[in-house]
Amino acid sequence: MVKLIGSPIVIIAIIIVLMVSFSFFFLTESEEFGPVFIQEPDDVIFPLDSDEKKVVMHCEARGNPPPTYSWYINGTEVDAEADYRYSFIDGNLIITNASEVTDYGKYQCKAENSFGTVLSRDGTLQFAYLGAFSGKARGGVSVREGQGVVLMCTPPPHSPGKKIIYSWVFNEFPSFVAEDSRRFISQDTGNLYISKVQPSDVGSYICLVKNTVTNARVLSPPTPLTLKTDGVMGEYEPKIEVHFPTSVLAAKGVTVRLECFALGNPVPTITWRKINGNIPKKARLRKSQAVLEIPNIQLEDSGTYECKAENPRGGTAFKGHLQVYTLPQWVRMINDTQMDSGEKLQWECKATGRPRPTYRWLRNGLPLTSQGRMEIVNGELSIHKVQQADSGMYQCVAENKYGAVYSNFLIPVLIFLFFLSCRIMLLRNNTLRIVNASRADEGNYVCRAENQLGSAELTAILSFVLPEAMRVELTPARVEVTVGESVVLSCKATHDTSLDVAFQWFFNQKPINFQQDGGHFEYIQTSSTVDLMIRSILLKHAGKYGCRAQTSADTVFTEAELLVRGPPGPPGVVIVEEITDTTATLSWTRGLDNHSPISTYNVQARSPFSLGWQTVKTDPDPVTGDMESAIAVELNPWVEYEFRVVATNAIGTGDPSAPSRAVRTKEAVPSVAPANVSGGNGRRHELVISWEPVSEEFQNGEGFGYIVAFRANGTRGWKEKMVTSADSTTYKYRDETFPPLTPFEVKVGVYNNKGDGPFSSVVVIHSAEGEPREAPSDVRAYSISSSEIRVTWKGYEVLQILCLCVCVDQEESGKKQRTVKNETSMVLTGLEGNSLYRITVKAFNSIGHGPATAAVTAKTRKTPPAQPPANLIWIQEGNNVSLSWDPVKAKDNESDVIGYMVSSLPFTAVTLAHFCTYIIEVRALSEGGDGAVSSQIRLVTSSGTHKATDF
């Protein structure tokens, strides 16, 4: 019996003294396995002008024992010792001072341990760069008006692929050439094509090239474009100058752009069709139909596509075949297999792809061929009578000309046969080695030897005590939550209870600082468990959370993944691809969906006339989450817009994209007529017409003005007058021939350089009035008081009246007073007492005054007495108070006294209420008005008691 405590390796030595051949078991611990890639090299595009001068090619594999790594560049092994520019960190290859000359190519990682070797897929390293244009001046191009022209970009050296964007600057930066049905910029060649040159095209053209990886951009020397003076180019049939290749290869899932543009006069129209089929519904026509764009290309989209260019002079067409290819993908893969010695192994791996993949086999990174016991037919591998020498890591490689996929699996041969001759010789010691032994390995071990004469057995018993290794369980291992929710990650350690355990939490490999997290993280620990609570989760909290448990004997680290669902991130910047008078064709790139699929996009626009960003109508409507383009519709012509896009998913609406560059819609005929057309007033023989001006937002183009149309009621022809100022609100028409208040039908329209727009509805407006021709009749005047005379008249009920009075006695200047409409009397005020006035009356309106009436006279009455009542005496008689005073005597020039007013009441006895205060005063009354007021008496009453005070 063998009994060991605390040993990770158990060695059992068994000596057999028999003249026989024998076999023994070679046992492997179940946790050991060959290398398996968890990260393989990706294709990398490295900017040559990057501040970071290092390129990292990633590779990581799992395995027990841990694998070692080596790298191959274009099939040659990297020697890090011979070239200081290469270094290894874990499985990653670091390249310092990378250059396109020495480092461009395919990279492959090799991982190996005691079980064998595996090769990764290839990762291609490319370099992004953009050279400078030659500074040499470019010659000018001269063409006739109406002729087509091609301006060559001839871009400088640049990185290959679709990482370059072309545009053209007209005259000066940043005035860009706008693409339309007449002008086109090829994103394949960079050339600018103008199908029919116009005088407005004359100027200087500069090609701008931008690298989308490095964001570098360079400008070419200018190319002058001039017009010849020897005539104008006549009409001619289209000639296709830009077209896609006759054979187009595209990977499944990408977006395909087919270009087609023609020169011609008149400007040709481009149409597309698919031979023997229909153009996919998902396809989009862009740049005035010069580009057919097919997103997410699939096998069924393959076929022959035709573009046709036509104008009234003829037509021409071009055809090309689109072929979709797919990289190999596994349909059937083999897992690790345990084989007994002598068994037959038969494996088949199968992959799909277009073209159909071919297969090859590797063992420990080296090619396998059919020989001896091994047979390879396409994707099938057969090994007859498996032996120990067949153990190792096997890989099946499926490949076509567009790529390759690798599968890998392990063959451990569990039974190996050893034959020894034992005649008259000492037998060698035979050792059974168990690595990382555990309680599961306890038991009886039998060594058996046999030959043709018989057999023998020896039994050994293994029994030991091992401290159980610490285990850490982190739950849940993977969890999805929504922004704003909370979650708890629980880390539990199973360990030797005699040892203390310490925990630490990590986020994306970095320790969590619980004091600087903004209150989102909380740490809760018991003896063998620690919980991490994450409150009010934000998108930035998504990632890997690690728990490290540590005792004096062991350290274990495990991770869980937290996915955070939230509103989408902002889409990529919006590109305006085509602009018309009322539409803008927009495209953008998809932003992060934050683990909740984008359902819709909302397109917003901003103009100088809008209150911030406003949602605009689109085609299609709605814009679904699988789209990356739309057409904004129902825009106003000749308005400068910026556009942005907002994504929405089931969680909510995310942040908007960056705005597009500001673009102005094309001009169009005005579509909005002036509002509130009215008029009237003015001078004699004038027709005054007014309206509310049309806002600049709806003027739709340059040269905006108004058309004023009018005609006298009952006539047929309209008189039209142009008002060229966009800010005008009034037009006056004068004609001595039409009488005052003639009714006219009036309407006001709009126009600009594009043409005439609509008119307002017709309204009736009267011409100006004439001045009154007659004087009012039956004018009368009579005195009311010493300072007032009332004047009355007849006639002119709708006119205003001007009344003029002159004091004859004192020869004062005339006093004038006006009425409002429909009055036939007025009171002249502020006159002198006991004076004679001569009064005339005139009718008037906005045009002028009519004739005056014959003068009438009226004399104001004498002034009221100036002496107030004196010696007021009051006497109480029960509930009454009696007053008395000295009478007032009028002078010769004063009106006679006809009575008195006591506290505005003509009584000498007043009944007073209890608990009140009264102010009593007395004045004389006369025909000339009220006389002077007496001194006041103040009475304060209580229950039956009265007190009086003079003041």
Side-chain angles (χ1 to χ4, degrees), residues 205-222:
Y205 290 82
I206 298 172
C207 181
L208 186 150
V209 184
K210 180 180 179 180
N211 190 311
T212 59
V213 177
T214 66
N215 285 325
R217 61 182 183 181
V218 292
L219 296 170
S220 73

Side-chain angles (χ1 to χ4, degrees), residues 168 176-180 182-185 192 579 661 666:
W168 282 77
F176 288 92
V177 173
E179 296 181 82
D180 49 27
R182 196 172 60 85
R183 294 169 293 190
F184 177 73
I185 300 171
L192 169 61
I579 196 83
R661 63 182 177 93
K666 306 291 178 144

Side-chain angles (χ1 to χ4, degrees), residues 491-571:
C491 181
K492 181 179 181 181
T494 303
H495 61 99
D496 188 337
T497 56
S498 65
L499 302 175
D500 293 332
V501 61
F503 295 93
Q504 188 174 13
W505 283 99
F506 294 81
F507 176 48
N508 291 334
Q509 306 292 326
K510 295 181 180 179
I512 295 176
N513 188 327
F514 287 87
Q515 282 71 44
Q516 298 179 2
D517 70 330
H520 290 283
F521 294 138
E522 182 178 349
Y523 186 100
I524 306 170
Q525 182 175 1
T526 61
S527 59
S528 297
T529 303
V530 61
D531 291 340
L532 174 65
M533 174 174 282
I534 312 173
R535 304 176 187 274
S536 303
I537 286 175
L538 305 176
L539 288 172
K540 68 178 182 179
H541 293 140
K544 291 187 176 182
Y545 288 82
C547 174
R548 184 176 72 186
Q550 185 172 9
T551 67
S552 58
D554 204 356
T555 299
V556 179
F557 180 82
T558 185
E559 284 186 314
E561 185 176 15
L562 175 63
L563 299 179
V564 179
R565 295 184 299 266

Side-chain angles (χ1 to χ4, degrees), residues 139-157:
V141 177
S142 184
V143 295
R144 293 185 179 92
E145 181 180 348
Q147 187 176 355
V149 70
V150 181
L151 300 182
M152 311 297 288
C153 178
T154 315

Side-chain angles (χ1 to χ4, degrees), residues 185-204:
I185 300 171
S186 171
Q187 293 304 314
D188 290 333
T189 64
N191 298 338
L192 169 61
Y193 300 82
I194 305 177
S195 63
K196 174 187 173 183
V197 174
Q198 299 177 352
S200 60
D201 297 322
V202 171
S204 177

